Amino acid sequence: MIPPSFDYHAPDNLEEASRLLLANPEAKLLAGGHSLIPMMRFRLAEPAALVDLRKIPGLSGIREEGGSLCIGAMTRESELEKSDLVQSRYPLLADTTRVIADPVVRNLATVGGNVAHADPGNDHPATMLAYGASFVASGPSGQRTIAASDFFTGPFSTCLEDGEILTEIRVPEAGPGSGGAYQKFERKVGDYAVAAVAVQVQLDGGRIAGAGVALTNVGLTAIQAGAAEAALVGSDGGDAALDAAAQAAAAAADPTDDHRGSADYKRAVVRVLTHRAASSALARAREAS
Amino acid sequence: MSSHQISVTINGEEHTREVEARLLLVHFIREEVGLTGTHIGCDTTSCGACTVLLNGVPAKSCTVFAVAADGAEVTTVEGLGNGGLHPVQQGFTEKHGLQCGFCTPGMMLTSKALLEENPDPSEEEIRWGISGNLCRCTGYVNIVKAVQRASELMKENSDG
Amino acid sequence: MAECRGLGHSVQRKEDARFIRGQGRYIDDVKLPGMLYLDIARSPYAHAKITKIHEDTAMAVDGVAAVITGKTLEGFKLAWMPTLMSDQQMVLPVDTVKYQAQEVAAIVATSRYAAADGAAALEVDYDPLPVVVDPHEALKPGATKVRDDKESNHIFHWEHGDADGTDAALAGCDTVVEQHMHLPRIHVASIETCGCVASWNPVEGHLTLYLTTQAPHAIRTVVALVTAHLGLAEHKIRVISPDIGGGFGGKVPVYPGYVLATAASVVTGKPVKWIEDRSENLQADSFARDYHITAKLGSKDGKVTALKLDTVADHGYSDAAANPSKFPAGLYHIATGSYDLENAHVSVDGVYTNKPPGGIAYRCSFRVTEAVHAIERMVDLLARENGEDPADFRLRNFIKPEQFPYQSALGWEYDSGNYGAALEKAMDMIGYRELRAEQAEKRARGELMGVGISSFTEIVGAGPSKTFDILGIKMFDSAEIRIHPTGKAIARFGTKSQGQGHETTYAQIIAEELGIPPEDIQVEEGDTDTAPYGLGTYASRSTPTAGAAASIASRKIRDKARKIAAHLLEADEADLVWEQGKFHVKGSPDRAKTIQDIAFAAYTNHPQGMEAGLEAISYYDPPNLTFPFGSYICCVDIDRGTGQVRIRRFVAVDDCGVRINPMIVDGQIHGGLTMGIAPALLEEISYDADGNITGGNFMEYLVPTAMETPHWELGETVTPSPHHPIGAKGVGESATVGAPPAVVNAVVDALWHLGVRHMEIPMTPARVWDVLNEHGAAATR
C-alpha cells in the first residue's frame, strides 16, 4: 500500500503553517502521522499537500501552569506514559494513554493528533470531555481557547476553522480529592474500543462535588454523558449512585451494530465500564483527599 | 509532488538522497540504502515488522515519511551489536526467540529499547512492551525468555 | 572428537546467525538489475461483469510500462490455470469477477510506487451481478450460479465409511448427541506475505522464479505443465524459494500474482517483482476451514460406538484446496480421533460461493483440525449426556496402548499411541481435580470459570505412495548427503523450511546417524537446480519423510564407510562395530577409524574396485503416516460484564514420538498453540450479504499479540513411531489442531450450568455476552 503523491512543507512557525493551510485547501496537517499515513496508504485520504508541524518549536511538553496541566499538541503519547506528573496526579490521562494503539505506535502518535483527528474511536476525546479540558488553537485570526464540549462536531470533524491549528490541551489542574479512570474494552491490544468510558470525579468531604463522564466509540463523536454526571454529583459515590450513573451512561450511548458487537452489547459494556471506571475513579479520589 | 534532499543517519552512517515526499522511511531504508533487515508485514501499522529505532525510540518505519526523518538517527537490525552480538541478539538465539526470523529484527529493536528503559522487566512488562510487534511462529513464550536472558546479559556486561 | 549432539539435544539453531543480524534473504530482498514491479488492480465487487477495462488510464501514469488483462492472457491460453483439485482458477478474468478483491488487471511499472499509482488509476466498468455467500443458499434450487461453466454450485460429494452400519449403530445407542458447528474461514497470516521475482531470459529460454513457496519442486513441475504450450520446459525452469517468513500452508498454492509476474517478465523481457500487501494477502490468498458440520455421536452403556459427520464445505468460486489428489476433503476421515469406536461415516459436499478460492491447512495436515474439533466437541457433549466427567469418559473410551497398531473404523492404521498417559499427565500438571473443586466454589459465588480438555490424534507425514500423490506425483521426500574429504558434509532436501529450523534438525539427524557434529553439516533446501526432488514442507511431513530420508541416506553412507573402514583396518567388514562416529574392530576398541578418517580415505585411499567418494541419496516413501497425539487442558475465566474469555492456564502434553531437538519441538508447540487459540477466540474472515469482506486487514483480522497469548505450560510423553527410522512423528501442527476444542470445551464448561451446550468460534466477547444475556447471566458491573 503506497500513499499518493503530495507536496510536503515543514514550516518553522505557526503563522507560516496557517498560511500554508489556507493557501492549500486540500492540505492536511501532519503531526505523528499514525492516523493519517495509514489512511493515505489505503488512499482513503489523498491530501494535495502536507504541512508537517515537527519543526515548529514549543508544541510539545507537559507542565502545570495557571491552574491547568498544559500538554503541547505535538507531545507523544509515550511522553504522557513516562511523565511522573501525569502518572502521579492525572490517573484518567495515564489510564487513557496506556491503552491507545500499541507501545511502538505511542512513541510517535501525538496527543494533539488523537484529539484533532476526532475519530470517534480515538480515546483522548472522551477523556478530555470528562476532564472538562479546553483546547488552544492558533489561526489567522489569532489564538483562541475552545472548550472540549464545543470542539467535536462530528466524526472526523471539529470546530477548528480553516487555517486553525490545535497547539495545546489544557486539563484542569488536579487538586485534593480529585481522581479519574479510563476503562477501555478492546478485542486485542491495538484495537479501537468496543466501548470505553472516562470518569473524572471531585470529592468534597464524603460527597461527589463534580463529575465528568464521557464515552468512546459508541456514537458519531465521543459522548459526554450529562445524566450520568448528574447521577454522581451530590451523591456519596455508593453503589446506588454508581448503578444510576452506569444506566444513564448506557442510555446516552448511541452505538451501531458492527463486527465489534451489537448496539445492545455495546450499551451493556458501557454500563459495566462506567461502573468500573467510576468505582476506580472514586477510590483514587479518596486516596488523593 | 515535491521532492526533497534529506540526510538520515543510519547505524552511524549518513545517507543523503533526493526523495519524493511520499517515500516511506521503510522503503528509504530498504530500497534507497539497501538495508533489507527491516521488513514489511502489513499496511495498517499493526505488525511492527518494520520497527527501527528513530532517534532512539522504536518506531514503525512504514508509518513515517522519509522526508520527516530528515536529520534523524536511525538504528536498524544491521546496527545492533557493533560487529559482535548485542545481548538482545544473543538472548534471542539462546532462548529460541525466533523461528522464521521475519518479525525478529523489529522484535529485537523494541526489546532493546524496552531493556534500556527497564533493565529488569517482569514477564507482564515484557509482554506489554512487545505488544506492538506481531509474531506468528513462536507463541511469544520464548521471546519473553529471550528478553529476560538479554536482561541478564546486559547486567553481566555492566557489572563486568 | 567433538560430541556429535544428535537426537535429544537442544542444539542452537544454525539459521539464527543470519536472522538475528538481519541477513536473512526473503523474497522482497531479491533485487535484480533492471527489475520492474507489478501491482494488481482488484475488484470492489463480489460478483460482476467487467464491461470495460480502460487500460489507458493506467498507461497514462508515469512509469507504467504495461497493463495485463484477462484478454492479454487469453491470447496465451493463460487466463485460467488448473487447481490441484482438478478445477480451474482464473489468473485474470476475461469477463466476470467472482469475489471481492479478485485480480482484475496487472500493472507493470518501473517502480513499486508507480505500479501502485497505475493500479489506483485504472478505471474499470462493472455491471454488478447477484451474489451468493451462504453455501446452504448456494445449494438451493434456483440459487445464483457462481460458475457458468458448471451445472450447479455443487462441486463434489465425497463420503467415507459405512453409512448404513453407522445409522444402525446410532439407532442402537442408548445415548446420542447431535450438534451443528461451523469452523469459519481463517487465514494463516504469516508475517511475510507472498511474492515472487520472475526473471525470463529470452536468449536462453530460461525462467528463474524466486518464489515464496513451501513446495519448490512441485511448483516447478506445475509451471512446466501449464506453460508447455508456450515452449517452457522443466530443465529451463529454476525455482528458488529463499528464506520464508512463515508459511503454515499459505505458501503451498500457486497464486495468480506468480503467474502474472512470470507473464510480465516474458512480455517485457525484464525481471518482474510482485509482493502482495497484507490486505491482498488476507482478502485474496487461500483461506482455511469454512466447514459447516453436523455431527452425531452415540454411546451404549457408556462406550462410544458410532460417529456420523455430514459437512457442507464452502470452497469459494473454485475448488483450489491444497490436498493430496485422491482426498477432496483431505484427511477429514481421521475424525474418529483417539477413541475406540466401530462405526463411522463422514460425508462432505463441496460448494461454490462468491468468495476467494482455497482450502489450505492453517498449520494442519489437510483438514485434521476440522475433524478433531468435531470429535473433541462431541465427546465432551456425550460425556455430559452420560453424566460422566469428560476426563473420565475419555480415559475409558480411548484406544488402549495394546490395541496399536490400530485399525480405525474409517480405514487408517494408527502407528502407536498411549493416550491415557498423556491425559493423565496433563491432569496432574494442571491439577484437574483441584480445578473442579475451585469451579464448584466459584459457581456458588456466581463466578464463571471452566476447564476444557482436548485429546487429539493427528495424522501427518503424507504419505505412502500407494495412496498419496499430488497431480500424480507420489508424496515421497528426499535427502542427498555428500561427505567431503575433510569429514564435513553438505545435505540437500526436497522440503523447504519456513522457520521450523530444518537446517538444525536435519543436521542433528545426520549427526546421530554418522557422528558428524551438526555444525560440520551444511543443510540446503529450496533451489530446484541443486536440491533433490521432493514434495515440500506442509502437513508436518518434513521430519516423517525428508527426516527419514536423511536417516536412510546416512545409513547408505555408513554401509560404504564400513567397507572403507574394513579396508583401512585390514579387517573383515563383519568384524567391525559401529559406535557413533567410528568403526572399531570387535574386541579391539583401539583399532578404530572415525567417520572423518573414512571420509578422507574415500577420496584418497579407497579400496580398488570401489568408486571414490562418500555420498548417498534417498527418496523416502513412508510405509505409513505417523499419528502424533496429545492432551490439552485449558482453564478459562469469563467476565460476566463484557463476555471476555481469559485463558488462565493452558497445559499441553504432546507426544510426537522421539524428539530430535527438544528446544525446537517446544517452540513449534508454543507457536502452534497460539495459532490454535487464535481461531477459537479472535480470528475470522467473514462476508456480508453482498460478499464484502470483513477482517481483510490487520486492524480487523485479530492475530494475537503477546498480551492475548497465555504462558504455555508444556509436558511430554514419548511413544516412538515404530515405522520411522528414528521413531519421530512430526510436531509442527499438533498444537494448532488440538488447541481449539480445548478452549471451546472450557468455555462451554464454564456456562454448562446455565444450559449452554455449544459455542461457535471465534468466541468473541460479543458472542459470549449474547449467550450470557440470553441465559440471564450477564452482569451489569
Side-chain angles (χ1 to χ4, degrees):
Chain A
M1 289 282 175
I2 305 295
S5 294
F6 55 85
D7 288 328
Y8 174 82
H9 307 277
D12 59 9
N13 64 80
L14 279 171
E15 295 69 28
E16 176 66 1
S18 282
R19 196 195 61 72
L20 284 162
L21 283 177
L22 283 174
N24 298 282
E26 299 296 306
K28 280 196 176 293
L29 283 179
L30 179 65
H34 276 53
S35 296
L36 181 60
I37 296 174
M39 288 176 77
M40 290 175 69
R41 293 181 75 187
F42 279 86
R43 303 201 181 206
L44 299 171
E46 301 200 40
L50 289 186
V51 179
D52 191 343
L53 296 174
R54 72 187 174 97
K55 288 186 179 167
I56 301 174
L59 287 184
S60 82
I62 305 161
R63 65 186 195 287
E64 280 181 326
E65 189 181 294
S68 295
L69 175 76
C70 303
I71 305 163
M74 285 289 280
T75 305
R76 313 286 174 176
E77 297 292 350
S78 58
E79 293 174 60
L80 293 185
E81 271 183 288
K82 288 170 197 162
S83 157
D84 288 339
L85 181 59
V86 170
Q87 294 301 319
S88 60
R89 286 169 50 79
Y90 297 88
L92 167 56
L93 190 55
D95 281 359
T96 308
T97 193
R98 192 171 156 77
V99 293
I100 290 171
D102 67 55
V104 181
V105 167
R106 290 197 291 274
N107 284 332
L108 290 192
T110 64
V111 184
N114 193 281
V115 168
H117 188 57
D119 184 331
N122 280 359
D123 295 287
H124 279 308
T127 290
M128 297 308 164
L129 287 170
Y131 267 129
S134 56
F135 305 133
V136 180
S138 168
S141 43
Q143 185 173 300
R144 63 171 174 142
T145 304
I146 308 161
S149 53
D150 295 330
F151 189 76
F152 304 102
T153 54
F156 304 98
S157 76
T158 69
C159 70
L160 289 175
E161 307 273 347
D162 288 347
E164 247 185 343
I165 297 164
L166 174 67
T167 58
E168 189 170 279
I169 292 123
R170 291 184 182 164
V171 171
E173 192 174 326
S178 77
Y182 191 66
Q183 284 274 330
K184 176 178 183 175
F185 187 66
E186 57 187 0
R187 298 172 299 174
K188 62 169 266 196
V189 169
D191 191 19
Y192 288 104
V194 171
V197 179
V199 175
Q200 176 70 17
V201 293
Q202 177 66 51
L203 291 178
D204 185 6
R207 306 229 149 242
I208 299 176
V213 179
L215 321 175
T216 297
N217 217 16
V218 285
L220 296 177
T221 64
I223 293 170
Q224 184 146 20
E229 294 169 348
L232 291 173
V233 173
S235 81
D236 61 355
D239 260 353
L242 263 51
D243 279 338
Q247 284 194 53
D254 185 22
T256 51
D257 295 349
D258 64 16
H259 48 282
R260 287 187 174 79
S262 66
D264 285 347
Y265 169 60
K266 292 178 187 177
R267 249 186 236 106
V269 171
V270 167
R271 183 172 173 185
V272 167
L273 298 182
T274 303
H275 199 288
R276 292 176 185 178
S279 167
S280 161
L282 279 164
R284 287 162 169 178
R286 289 186 188 118
E287 210 166 287
S289 291
Chain B
M1 290 295 160
S2 55
S3 75
H4 306 261
Q5 183 173 307
I6 63 167
S7 287
V8 183
T9 301
I10 304 180
N11 306 328
E13 194 179 325
E14 185 170 288
H15 298 272
T16 302
R17 299 281 192 287
E18 185 79 14
V19 301
E20 216 187 332
R22 63 171 169 159
L23 182 71
L24 297 168
L25 179 60
V26 68
H27 287 136
F28 180 82
I29 293 167
R30 289 181 51 83
E31 311 282 340
E32 299 289 327
V33 179
L35 294 171
T36 56
T38 304
H39 301 141
I40 302 172
C42 77
D43 38 27
T44 48
T45 324
S46 306
C47 79
C50 64
T51 303
V52 299
L53 300 182
L54 181 61
N55 297 321
V57 299
K60 297 187 179 182
S61 62
C62 73
T63 310
V64 176
F65 290 119
V67 67
D70 184 22
E73 299 260 355
V74 170
T75 304
T76 69
V77 63
E78 290 91 343
L80 273 175
N82 286 327
L85 285 185
H86 186 276
V88 164
Q89 292 169 305
Q90 192 68 40
F92 269 71
T93 185
E94 277 184 28
K95 296 295 172 187
H96 192 30
L98 68 149
Q99 290 181 23
C100 79
F102 202 74
C103 77
T104 311
M107 199 64 89
M108 291 194 303
L109 288 160
T110 298
S111 302
K112 173 180 187 278
L114 171 74
L115 288 171
E116 281 166 3
E117 214 170 276
N118 181 359
D120 197 12
S122 66
E123 170 164 355
E124 188 66 12
E125 286 168 334
I126 295 168
R127 286 178 176 269
W128 181 259
I130 60 169
S131 62
N133 296 76
L134 292 178
C135 170
R136 199 59 159 161
C137 296
T138 64
Y140 302 107
V141 173
N142 285 345
I143 294 180
V144 171
K145 289 184 187 162
V147 177
Q148 288 167 335
R149 177 66 185 137
S151 158
E152 284 171 16
L153 288 167
M154 284 164 87
K155 272 182 269 176
E156 282 168 24
N157 290 354
S158 61
D159 292 347
Chain C
M1 196 180 87
E3 189 194 358
C4 91
R5 288 172 301 130
L7 303 185
H9 291 264
S10 289
V11 174
Q12 304 254 304
R13 295 203 325 167
K14 294 154 71 78
E15 40 274 88
D16 286 1
R18 62 181 185 276
F19 292 148
I20 57 172
R21 291 172 174 84
Q23 289 174 16
R25 192 190 194 211
Y26 302 90
I27 190 67
D28 202 10
D29 305 338
V30 175
K31 207 169 180 178
L32 302 179
M35 189 170 76
L36 301 174
Y37 295 80
L38 184 144
D39 207 331
I40 294 174
R42 292 175 183 273
S43 170
Y45 296 103
H47 198 189
K49 196 149 195 68
I50 298 170
T51 53
K52 187 164 174 57
I53 297 175
H54 301 268
E55 294 167 42
D56 53 324
T57 53
M59 287 303 292
V61 172
D62 271 357
V64 171
V67 176
I68 298 173
T69 66
K71 294 224 157 70
T72 326
L73 295 180
E74 206 178 23
F76 298 97
K77 293 198 173 75
L78 275 180
W80 291 77
M81 62 180 180
T83 72
L84 293 181
M85 300 320 291
S86 309
D87 200 345
Q88 295 278 311
Q89 178 182 357
M90 286 180 242
V91 177
L92 286 177
V94 176
D95 51 18
T96 313
V97 288
K98 302 287 186 189
Y99 71 91
Q100 189 185 52
Q102 186 178 342
E103 300 81 359
V104 169
I107 285 77
V108 186
T110 50
S111 75
R112 196 187 296 263
Y113 281 50
D117 288 345
L122 184 74
E123 288 177 18
V124 181
D125 300 335
Y126 298 96
D127 270 347
L129 295 166
V131 170
V132 60
V133 170
D134 181 336
H136 303 285
E137 292 297 320
L139 286 175
K140 288 181 180 164
T144 296
K145 210 155 71 112
V146 175
R147 291 275 293 269
D148 306 327
D149 56 331
K150 303 283 177 183
E151 281 179 19
S152 76
N153 292 327
H154 187 234
I155 310 172
F156 64 82
H157 174 81
W158 173 85
E159 61 177 72
H160 197 75
D162 178 358
D164 295 342
T166 301
D167 285 342
L170 281 168
C173 285
D174 54 39
T175 313
V176 176
V177 287
E178 179 168 355
Q179 182 63 53
H180 177 80
M181 58 191 93
H182 179 217
L183 277 79
R185 277 189 179 225
I186 50 174
H187 202 289
V188 298
S190 52
I191 303 299
E192 180 199 43
T193 61
C194 296
C196 74
V197 177
S199 182
W200 168 249
N201 181 331
V203 177
E204 307 276 342
H206 185 278
L207 176 69
T208 305
L209 262 179
Y210 299 85
L211 204 64
T212 45
T213 180
Q214 300 174 220
H217 299 275
I219 296 284
R220 186 189 69 194
T221 302
V222 169
V223 172
L225 291 173
V226 300
T227 58
H229 65 284
L230 300 174
L232 255 72
E234 199 164 4
H235 66 300
K236 296 280 193 180
I237 301 167
R238 180 182 187 185
V239 175
I240 298 174
S241 186
D243 286 325
I244 301 285
F248 314 114
K251 288 169 181 167
V252 171
V254 173
Y255 293 117
Y258 301 160
V259 182
L260 290 170
T262 305
S265 181
V266 172
V267 168
T268 61
K270 293 185 171 162
V272 175
K273 177 185 273 192
W274 170 67
I275 305 292
E276 68 184 0
D277 294 323
R278 171 60 55 197
S279 304
E280 296 178 290
N281 171 264
L282 290 171
Q283 292 173 20
D285 284 6
S286 286
F287 68 91
R289 318 275 193 263
D290 220 347
Y291 262 31
H292 300 257
I293 304 169
T294 303
K296 270 189 197 176
L297 186 69
S299 63
K300 192 171 182 183
D301 303 327
K303 164 92 176 67
V304 181
T305 54
L307 170 74
K308 189 171 167 63
L309 298 181
D310 291 309
T311 312
V312 171
D314 185 343
H315 279 269
Y317 91 85
S318 170
D319 186 0
N323 286 324
S325 296
K326 294 189 186 72
F327 298 87
L331 308 182
Y332 188 50
H333 44 315
I334 186 67
T336 55
S338 306
Y339 308 95
D340 182 22
L341 57 85
E342 283 169 15
N343 305 279
H345 182 256
V346 297
S347 76
V348 179
D349 288 279
V351 184
Y352 290 127
T353 59
N354 288 117
K355 295 179 196 164
I360 51 138
Y362 189 102
R363 198 168 185 158
C364 90
S365 180
F366 312 120
R367 304 287 187 184
V368 179
T369 311
E370 288 89 329
V372 166
H373 201 95
I375 186 69
E376 285 305 305
R377 282 291 301 124
M378 297 312 288
V379 162
D380 238 54
L381 284 174
L382 189 59
R384 311 276 190 164
E385 202 63 30
N386 272 282
E388 195 171 357
D389 183 278
D392 299 329
F393 188 79
R394 282 182 170 84
L395 287 168
R396 274 197 315 99
N397 278 287
F398 281 149
I399 300 161
K400 302 290 179 285
E402 60 274 17
Q403 289 176 277
F404 291 92
Y406 174 83
Q407 288 291 332
S408 83
L410 291 171
W412 301 112
E413 184 184 298
Y414 294 14
D415 58 349
S416 63
N418 189 348
Y419 301 155
L423 177 53
E424 278 165 1
K425 182 158 193 180
M427 289 168 72
D428 284 348
M429 282 176 68
I430 204 163
Y432 183 75
R433 308 290 175 196
E434 293 80 357
L435 285 177
R436 286 284 171 220
E438 183 193 338
Q439 181 183 34
E441 280 170 34
K442 288 213 159 136
R443 211 168 256 183
R445 291 202 302 268
E447 292 172 38
L448 300 177
M449 73 166 270
V451 185
I453 300 173
S454 167
S455 294
F456 65 93
T457 290
E458 258 249 271
I459 172 168
V460 308
S465 62
K466 60 183 182 292
T467 37
F468 287 93
D469 67 86
I470 286 180
L471 299 174
I473 302 167
K474 301 297 186 184
M475 291 182 72
F476 57 83
D477 225 296
S478 61
E480 181 196 60
I481 305 169
R482 298 181 191 168
I483 315 296
H484 304 314
T486 54
K488 318 292 182 189
I490 184 165
R492 291 177 168 134
F493 296 83
T495 49
K496 175 63 203 176
S497 182
Q498 311 124 42
Q500 295 92 332
H502 288 180
E503 289 167 47
T504 309
T505 298
Y506 288 153
Q508 285 182 257
I509 295 174
I510 297 167
E512 178 73 19
E513 296 284 358
L514 291 176
I516 298 172
E519 60 269 25
D520 287 355
I521 303 162
Q522 172 80 15
V523 171
E524 292 182 1
E525 304 173 289
D527 183 341
T528 57
D529 269 13
T530 56
Y533 202 99
L535 272 281
T537 293
Y538 42 84
S540 294
R541 68 187 299 278
S542 299
T543 294
T545 59
S551 276
I552 301 299
S554 296
R555 290 172 192 181
K556 289 181 185 175
I557 286 171
R558 214 158 72 197
D559 288 346
K560 182 169 180 182
R562 177 185 291 271
K563 294 188 197 315
I564 298 170
H567 164 70
L568 296 176
L569 292 164
E570 296 178 342
D572 192 286
E573 268 184 62
D575 292 336
L576 294 186
V577 177
W578 171 257
E579 58 181 309
Q580 200 168 51
K582 60 183 171 184
F583 281 105
H584 69 257
V585 179
K586 203 184 292 173
S588 311
D590 294 344
R591 282 184 63 205
K593 288 290 172 189
T594 67
I595 189 74
Q596 288 80 7
D597 298 334
I598 296 165
F600 192 69
Y603 296 88
T604 59
N605 179 23
H606 56 285
Q608 288 300 308
M610 177 189 280
E611 287 184 15
L614 193 57
E615 60 185 69
I617 189 162
S618 167
Y619 291 87
Y620 186 78
D621 179 5
N624 189 5
L625 297 142
T626 60
F627 296 77
F629 61 92
S631 270
Y632 296 168
I633 306 182
C634 173
C635 175
V636 300
D637 297 299
I638 298 175
D639 182 335
R640 288 178 47 201
T642 61
Q644 185 170 41
V645 174
R646 277 266 172 225
I647 297 179
R648 190 203 308 173
R649 289 186 65 194
F650 197 110
V651 164
V653 175
D654 272 276
D655 192 322
C656 56
V658 171
R659 296 184 172 209
I660 299 159
N661 182 319
M663 174 189 82
I664 289 178
V665 169
D666 284 354
Q668 290 296 302
I669 295 167
H670 289 153
L673 290 169
T674 308
M675 287 182 79
I677 61 149
L681 295 173
L682 292 160
E683 294 174 10
E684 178 178 17
I685 286 181
S686 61
Y687 294 82
D688 69 14
D690 297 322
N692 299 308
I693 190 171
T694 60
N697 60 54
F698 267 175
M699 299 289 286
E700 301 304 337
Y701 191 75
L702 306 177
V703 171
T705 75
M707 290 302 289
E708 289 78 40
T709 306
H711 184 107
W712 307 113
E713 301 170 61
L714 307 188
E716 65 175 274
T717 59
V718 176
T719 311
S721 170
H723 63 74
H724 187 276
I726 55 169
K729 288 190 170 185
V731 74
E733 299 162 331
S734 288
T736 314
V737 171
V743 186
V744 179
N745 287 341
V747 172
V748 172
D749 180 58
L751 305 175
W752 187 268
H753 62 296
L754 303 173
V756 175
R757 296 294 173 263
H758 182 66
M759 287 294 298
E760 293 286 23
I761 58 170
M763 298 177 293
T764 60
R767 184 172 261 163
V768 173
W769 183 86
D770 282 346
V771 171
L772 291 172
N773 191 43
E774 214 174 283
H775 291 83
T780 57
R781 57 174 76 168

